[in-house]
Amino acid sequence: NYGGRDEIVCAIRDMIRDGITPEEVDSNLVDNYLFTNGVPDPDLIIRTSGEMRISNFLIWQAAYSEWYFTQSYWPDFDREEFHKALVDYSARERRFGKLSNLTAEES
């Protein structure tokens, strides 16, 4: 029963148990204490069934992920639906929190 908030709480508890001082805490250290330690953050997260929420899923890891929302339910999410998601994703500009390279007049 995974929950992103619980994952972060567990990471904090483990850091405290390990004697980590506040000055030592940075995003790389937090990454090392998460359940997904050693696994790259997702580039694309696909949300099925028309839901427009993240549902406590990979809260830390999804900070710079691209999201794709589809009305298709998971059992119906087939190769064609996956292809649509990839086509949509491939047209995006990945900025990782930075501003777009386009100015307001260009967009």
Side-chain angles (χ1 to χ4, degrees), residues 12-40:
I12 293 168
R13 286 179 180 158
D14 289 345
M15 284 187 262
I16 292 168
R17 266 189 219 109
D18 289 347
I20 302 296
T21 65
E23 296 75 30
E24 293 175 284
V25 177
D26 63 15
S27 60
N28 289 327
L29 182 71
V30 174
D31 283 340
N32 291 334
Y33 276 87
L34 295 175
F35 301 154
T36 55
N37 179 25
V39 177

Side-chain angles (χ1 to χ4, degrees), residues 48-97:
T48 59
S49 72
E51 295 290 344
M52 300 293 279
R53 56 190 169 82
I54 62 173
S55 300
N56 197 21
F57 181 71
L58 296 178
I59 294 171
W60 178 275
Q61 301 88 331
Y64 297 116
S65 299
E66 296 292 323
W67 287 80
Y68 179 80
F69 298 93
T70 177
Q71 294 296 318
S72 178
Y73 289 98
W74 178 243
D76 302 320
F77 192 84
D78 57 12
R79 181 181 291 262
E80 181 180 337
E81 289 294 323
F82 185 55
H83 184 261
K84 288 179 191 176
L86 293 179
V87 168
D88 181 83
Y89 172 77
S90 70
R92 298 181 186 189
E93 174 191 358
R94 299 292 310 278
R95 297 188 308 262
F96 302 96

